[in-house]
PDB file of all heavy atoms in Angstrom:
ATOM      1  N   MET H 234      -8.753  15.861  -2.810  1.00  0.00           N
ATOM      2  CA  MET H 234      -8.970  16.007  -4.216  1.00  0.00           C
ATOM      3  C   MET H 234      -7.832  15.362  -4.997  1.00  0.00           C
ATOM      4  O   MET H 234      -7.678  15.526  -6.224  1.00  0.00           O
ATOM      5  CB  MET H 234      -9.077  17.481  -4.591  1.00  0.00           C
ATOM      6  CG  MET H 234     -10.266  18.139  -4.043  1.00  0.00           C
ATOM      7  SD  MET H 234     -10.149  19.908  -4.032  1.00  0.00           S
ATOM      8  CE  MET H 234      -9.254  20.138  -2.511  1.00  0.00           C
ATOM      9  N   VAL H 235      -6.953  14.576  -4.353  1.00  0.00           N
ATOM     10  CA  VAL H 235      -5.772  14.015  -4.928  1.00  0.00           C
ATOM     11  C   VAL H 235      -5.947  12.582  -5.252  1.00  0.00           C
ATOM     12  O   VAL H 235      -5.601  12.102  -6.344  1.00  0.00           O
ATOM     13  CB  VAL H 235      -4.536  14.319  -4.001  1.00  0.00           C
ATOM     14  CG1 VAL H 235      -3.279  13.816  -4.622  1.00  0.00           C
ATOM     15  CG2 VAL H 235      -4.423  15.724  -3.600  1.00  0.00           C
ATOM     16  N   ALA H 236      -6.347  11.784  -4.274  1.00  0.00           N
ATOM     17  CA  ALA H 236      -6.517  10.303  -4.365  1.00  0.00           C
ATOM     18  C   ALA H 236      -5.178   9.638  -4.702  1.00  0.00           C
ATOM     19  O   ALA H 236      -4.138  10.100  -4.178  1.00  0.00           O
ATOM     20  CB  ALA H 236      -7.581   9.949  -5.362  1.00  0.00           C
ATOM     21  N   GLY H 237      -5.087   8.635  -5.543  1.00  0.00           N
ATOM     22  CA  GLY H 237      -3.864   7.912  -5.794  1.00  0.00           C
ATOM     23  C   GLY H 237      -3.209   7.434  -4.495  1.00  0.00           C
ATOM     24  O   GLY H 237      -3.847   6.821  -3.668  1.00  0.00           O
ATOM     25  N   ASP H 238      -1.951   7.759  -4.311  1.00  0.00           N
ATOM     26  CA  ASP H 238      -1.277   7.282  -3.075  1.00  0.00           C
ATOM     27  C   ASP H 238      -1.669   8.035  -1.854  1.00  0.00           C
ATOM     28  O   ASP H 238      -1.336   7.605  -0.702  1.00  0.00           O
ATOM     29  CB  ASP H 238       0.266   7.445  -3.303  1.00  0.00           C
ATOM     30  CG  ASP H 238       0.744   8.865  -3.507  1.00  0.00           C
ATOM     31  OD1 ASP H 238      -0.060   9.687  -4.097  1.00  0.00           O
ATOM     32  OD2 ASP H 238       1.764   9.266  -2.962  1.00  0.00           O
ATOM     33  N   TYR H 239      -2.507   9.129  -1.988  1.00  0.00           N
ATOM     34  CA  TYR H 239      -2.975   9.819  -0.797  1.00  0.00           C
ATOM     35  C   TYR H 239      -4.003   9.017  -0.048  1.00  0.00           C
ATOM     36  O   TYR H 239      -4.280   9.245   1.114  1.00  0.00           O
ATOM     37  CB  TYR H 239      -3.600  11.169  -1.216  1.00  0.00           C
ATOM     38  CG  TYR H 239      -2.627  12.284  -1.231  1.00  0.00           C
ATOM     39  CD1 TYR H 239      -1.372  12.182  -1.723  1.00  0.00           C
ATOM     40  CD2 TYR H 239      -2.995  13.602  -0.772  1.00  0.00           C
ATOM     41  CE1 TYR H 239      -0.439  13.232  -1.773  1.00  0.00           C
ATOM     42  CE2 TYR H 239      -2.101  14.637  -0.800  1.00  0.00           C
ATOM     43  CZ  TYR H 239      -0.846  14.476  -1.295  1.00  0.00           C
ATOM     44  OH  TYR H 239       0.014  15.548  -1.321  1.00  0.00           O
ATOM     45  N   VAL H 240      -4.614   8.026  -0.677  1.00  0.00           N
ATOM     46  CA  VAL H 240      -5.668   7.211  -0.056  1.00  0.00           C
ATOM     47  C   VAL H 240      -5.059   6.554   1.233  1.00  0.00           C
ATOM     48  O   VAL H 240      -5.638   6.690   2.312  1.00  0.00           O
ATOM     49  CB  VAL H 240      -6.275   6.228  -0.977  1.00  0.00           C
ATOM     50  CG1 VAL H 240      -7.263   5.251  -0.237  1.00  0.00           C
ATOM     51  CG2 VAL H 240      -6.969   6.874  -2.146  1.00  0.00           C
ATOM     52  N   SER H 241      -3.971   5.845   1.044  1.00  0.00           N
ATOM     53  CA  SER H 241      -3.370   5.120   2.189  1.00  0.00           C
ATOM     54  C   SER H 241      -2.798   6.142   3.219  1.00  0.00           C
ATOM     55  O   SER H 241      -2.834   5.857   4.417  1.00  0.00           O
ATOM     56  CB  SER H 241      -2.315   4.139   1.723  1.00  0.00           C
ATOM     57  OG  SER H 241      -1.290   4.823   1.012  1.00  0.00           O
ATOM     58  N   ARG H 242      -2.240   7.225   2.723  1.00  0.00           N
ATOM     59  CA  ARG H 242      -1.715   8.218   3.637  1.00  0.00           C
ATOM     60  C   ARG H 242      -2.725   8.957   4.455  1.00  0.00           C
ATOM     61  O   ARG H 242      -2.604   9.254   5.609  1.00  0.00           O
ATOM     62  CB  ARG H 242      -0.874   9.254   2.825  1.00  0.00           C
ATOM     63  CG  ARG H 242       0.326   8.625   2.092  1.00  0.00           C
ATOM     64  CD  ARG H 242       1.029   9.557   1.173  1.00  0.00           C
ATOM     65  NE  ARG H 242       1.805  10.550   2.015  1.00  0.00           N
ATOM     66  CZ  ARG H 242       2.375  11.601   1.407  1.00  0.00           C
ATOM     67  NH1 ARG H 242       2.195  11.858   0.124  1.00  0.00           N
ATOM     68  NH2 ARG H 242       3.010  12.476   2.156  1.00  0.00           N
ATOM     69  N   ASN H 243      -3.928   9.108   3.839  1.00  0.00           N
ATOM     70  CA  ASN H 243      -5.089   9.652   4.562  1.00  0.00           C
ATOM     71  C   ASN H 243      -5.490   8.748   5.710  1.00  0.00           C
ATOM     72  O   ASN H 243      -5.826   9.212   6.798  1.00  0.00           O
ATOM     73  CB  ASN H 243      -6.279   9.928   3.641  1.00  0.00           C
ATOM     74  CG  ASN H 243      -6.066  11.098   2.739  1.00  0.00           C
ATOM     75  OD1 ASN H 243      -5.369  12.084   3.069  1.00  0.00           O
ATOM     76  ND2 ASN H 243      -6.774  11.077   1.609  1.00  0.00           N
ATOM     77  N   PHE H 244      -5.513   7.388   5.457  1.00  0.00           N
ATOM     78  CA  PHE H 244      -5.796   6.450   6.497  1.00  0.00           C
ATOM     79  C   PHE H 244      -4.864   6.693   7.720  1.00  0.00           C
ATOM     80  O   PHE H 244      -5.273   6.641   8.851  1.00  0.00           O
ATOM     81  CB  PHE H 244      -5.698   5.045   6.006  1.00  0.00           C
ATOM     82  CG  PHE H 244      -6.755   4.593   4.994  1.00  0.00           C
ATOM     83  CD1 PHE H 244      -6.589   3.436   4.311  1.00  0.00           C
ATOM     84  CD2 PHE H 244      -7.856   5.406   4.845  1.00  0.00           C
ATOM     85  CE1 PHE H 244      -7.625   3.033   3.410  1.00  0.00           C
ATOM     86  CE2 PHE H 244      -8.901   5.003   3.929  1.00  0.00           C
ATOM     87  CZ  PHE H 244      -8.722   3.784   3.229  1.00  0.00           C
ATOM     88  N   LYS H 245      -3.577   6.894   7.420  1.00  0.00           N
ATOM     89  CA  LYS H 245      -2.636   7.056   8.517  1.00  0.00           C
ATOM     90  C   LYS H 245      -2.795   8.387   9.217  1.00  0.00           C
ATOM     91  O   LYS H 245      -2.511   8.514  10.415  1.00  0.00           O
ATOM     92  CB  LYS H 245      -1.199   6.975   7.901  1.00  0.00           C
ATOM     93  CG  LYS H 245      -0.837   5.646   7.354  1.00  0.00           C
ATOM     94  CD  LYS H 245       0.523   5.653   6.683  1.00  0.00           C
ATOM     95  CE  LYS H 245       0.878   4.251   6.108  1.00  0.00           C
ATOM     96  NZ  LYS H 245       2.235   4.311   5.480  1.00  0.00           N
ATOM     97  N   ALA H 246      -3.200   9.433   8.499  1.00  0.00           N
ATOM     98  CA  ALA H 246      -3.360  10.754   9.097  1.00  0.00           C
ATOM     99  C   ALA H 246      -4.693  10.916   9.826  1.00  0.00           C
ATOM    100  O   ALA H 246      -4.929  11.942  10.492  1.00  0.00           O
ATOM    101  CB  ALA H 246      -3.181  11.840   8.022  1.00  0.00           C
ATOM    102  N   ALA H 247      -5.575  10.021   9.667  1.00  0.00           N
ATOM    103  CA  ALA H 247      -6.940  10.081  10.217  1.00  0.00           C
ATOM    104  C   ALA H 247      -7.013   9.710  11.693  1.00  0.00           C
ATOM    105  O   ALA H 247      -6.305   8.789  12.154  1.00  0.00           O
ATOM    106  CB  ALA H 247      -7.897   9.209   9.421  1.00  0.00           C
ATOM    107  N   ALA H 248      -7.889  10.395  12.429  1.00  0.00           N
ATOM    108  CA  ALA H 248      -8.188  10.012  13.796  1.00  0.00           C
ATOM    109  C   ALA H 248      -9.153   8.832  13.827  1.00  0.00           C
ATOM    110  O   ALA H 248      -9.691   8.430  12.822  1.00  0.00           O
ATOM    111  CB  ALA H 248      -8.792  11.191  14.520  1.00  0.00           C
ATOM    112  N   PHE H 249      -9.334   8.233  14.995  1.00  0.00           N
ATOM    113  CA  PHE H 249     -10.337   7.182  15.132  1.00  0.00           C
ATOM    114  C   PHE H 249     -11.714   7.762  14.798  1.00  0.00           C
ATOM    115  O   PHE H 249     -12.070   8.902  15.190  1.00  0.00           O
ATOM    116  CB  PHE H 249     -10.349   6.633  16.578  1.00  0.00           C
ATOM    117  CG  PHE H 249      -9.265   5.611  16.815  1.00  0.00           C
ATOM    118  CD1 PHE H 249      -7.984   5.910  17.136  1.00  0.00           C
ATOM    119  CD2 PHE H 249      -9.615   4.256  16.693  1.00  0.00           C
ATOM    120  CE1 PHE H 249      -7.049   4.946  17.254  1.00  0.00           C
ATOM    121  CE2 PHE H 249      -8.697   3.285  16.875  1.00  0.00           C
ATOM    122  CZ  PHE H 249      -7.359   3.626  17.208  1.00  0.00           C
ATOM    123  N   GLU H 250     -12.516   6.965  14.025  1.00  0.00           N
ATOM    124  CA  GLU H 250     -13.790   7.382  13.589  1.00  0.00           C
ATOM    125  C   GLU H 250     -13.825   8.635  12.725  1.00  0.00           C
ATOM    126  O   GLU H 250     -14.791   9.365  12.683  1.00  0.00           O
ATOM    127  CB  GLU H 250     -14.764   7.493  14.799  1.00  0.00           C
ATOM    128  CG  GLU H 250     -14.871   6.150  15.485  1.00  0.00           C
ATOM    129  CD  GLU H 250     -15.980   6.138  16.540  1.00  0.00           C
ATOM    130  OE1 GLU H 250     -16.429   7.239  16.989  1.00  0.00           O
ATOM    131  OE2 GLU H 250     -16.418   5.054  16.950  1.00  0.00           O
ATOM    132  N   ALA H 251     -12.702   8.915  12.064  1.00  0.00           N
ATOM    133  CA  ALA H 251     -12.646  10.011  11.110  1.00  0.00           C
ATOM    134  C   ALA H 251     -13.457   9.764   9.900  1.00  0.00           C
ATOM    135  O   ALA H 251     -13.785   8.600   9.549  1.00  0.00           O
ATOM    136  CB  ALA H 251     -11.220  10.283  10.754  1.00  0.00           C
ATOM    137  N   ARG H 252     -13.846  10.816   9.199  1.00  0.00           N
ATOM    138  CA  ARG H 252     -14.535  10.762   7.967  1.00  0.00           C
ATOM    139  C   ARG H 252     -13.692  11.329   6.837  1.00  0.00           C
ATOM    140  O   ARG H 252     -13.176  12.424   6.935  1.00  0.00           O
ATOM    141  CB  ARG H 252     -15.871  11.601   7.995  1.00  0.00           C
ATOM    142  CG  ARG H 252     -16.865  10.989   8.996  1.00  0.00           C
ATOM    143  CD  ARG H 252     -16.635  11.391  10.465  1.00  0.00           C
ATOM    144  NE  ARG H 252     -17.075  12.783  10.713  1.00  0.00           N
ATOM    145  CZ  ARG H 252     -16.713  13.485  11.744  1.00  0.00           C
ATOM    146  NH1 ARG H 252     -15.842  13.015  12.615  1.00  0.00           N
ATOM    147  NH2 ARG H 252     -17.152  14.748  11.900  1.00  0.00           N
ATOM    148  N   ILE H 253     -13.438  10.522   5.818  1.00  0.00           N
ATOM    149  CA  ILE H 253     -12.618  10.914   4.690  1.00  0.00           C
ATOM    150  C   ILE H 253     -13.430  10.965   3.407  1.00  0.00           C
ATOM    151  O   ILE H 253     -14.194  10.076   3.064  1.00  0.00           O
ATOM    152  CB  ILE H 253     -11.422   9.854   4.501  1.00  0.00           C
ATOM    153  CG1 ILE H 253     -10.690   9.682   5.751  1.00  0.00           C
ATOM    154  CG2 ILE H 253     -10.547  10.277   3.326  1.00  0.00           C
ATOM    155  CD1 ILE H 253      -9.726   8.501   5.774  1.00  0.00           C
ATOM    156  N   LEU H 254     -13.322  12.109   2.719  1.00  0.00           N
ATOM    157  CA  LEU H 254     -14.122  12.338   1.551  1.00  0.00           C
ATOM    158  C   LEU H 254     -13.190  12.493   0.340  1.00  0.00           C
ATOM    159  O   LEU H 254     -12.276  13.349   0.355  1.00  0.00           O
ATOM    160  CB  LEU H 254     -14.984  13.560   1.664  1.00  0.00           C
ATOM    161  CG  LEU H 254     -15.930  13.550   2.893  1.00  0.00           C
ATOM    162  CD1 LEU H 254     -15.499  14.565   3.958  1.00  0.00           C
ATOM    163  CD2 LEU H 254     -17.362  13.787   2.499  1.00  0.00           C
ATOM    164  N   ILE H 255     -13.406  11.792  -0.739  1.00  0.00           N
ATOM    165  CA  ILE H 255     -12.646  11.887  -1.915  1.00  0.00           C
ATOM    166  C   ILE H 255     -13.588  12.442  -3.003  1.00  0.00           C
ATOM    167  O   ILE H 255     -14.597  11.856  -3.319  1.00  0.00           O
ATOM    168  CB  ILE H 255     -12.069  10.508  -2.392  1.00  0.00           C
ATOM    169  CG1 ILE H 255     -11.136   9.984  -1.366  1.00  0.00           C
ATOM    170  CG2 ILE H 255     -11.399  10.687  -3.772  1.00  0.00           C
ATOM    171  CD1 ILE H 255     -10.552   8.596  -1.701  1.00  0.00           C
ATOM    172  N   ILE H 256     -13.218  13.653  -3.563  1.00  0.00           N
ATOM    173  CA  ILE H 256     -14.072  14.291  -4.476  1.00  0.00           C
ATOM    174  C   ILE H 256     -13.392  14.554  -5.881  1.00  0.00           C
ATOM    175  O   ILE H 256     -14.051  15.016  -6.759  1.00  0.00           O
ATOM    176  CB  ILE H 256     -14.584  15.715  -3.965  1.00  0.00           C
ATOM    177  CG1 ILE H 256     -13.432  16.595  -3.689  1.00  0.00           C
ATOM    178  CG2 ILE H 256     -15.461  15.409  -2.702  1.00  0.00           C
ATOM    179  CD1 ILE H 256     -13.879  18.040  -3.318  1.00  0.00           C
ATOM    180  N   ALA H 257     -12.115  14.133  -6.019  1.00  0.00           N
ATOM    181  CA  ALA H 257     -11.439  14.244  -7.274  1.00  0.00           C
ATOM    182  C   ALA H 257     -10.187  13.293  -7.199  1.00  0.00           C
ATOM    183  O   ALA H 257      -9.893  12.814  -6.079  1.00  0.00           O
ATOM    184  CB  ALA H 257     -11.044  15.631  -7.583  1.00  0.00           C
TER     185      ALA H 257
END
């Protein structure tokens, strides 16, 4: 629900074939 700079950090924290959802 944060987005901004969290987008690239989520990519780093994600596992292979992870699903990332941005809702805010």
Side-chain angles (χ1 to χ4, degrees):
M234 295 161 276
V235 182
D238 65 324
Y239 270 40
V240 174
S241 58
R242 297 173 72 190
N243 286 333
F244 289 168
K245 295 176 182 178
F249 277 83
E250 299 189 341
R252 294 84 76 198
I253 303 170
L254 304 113
I255 299 176
I256 60 170

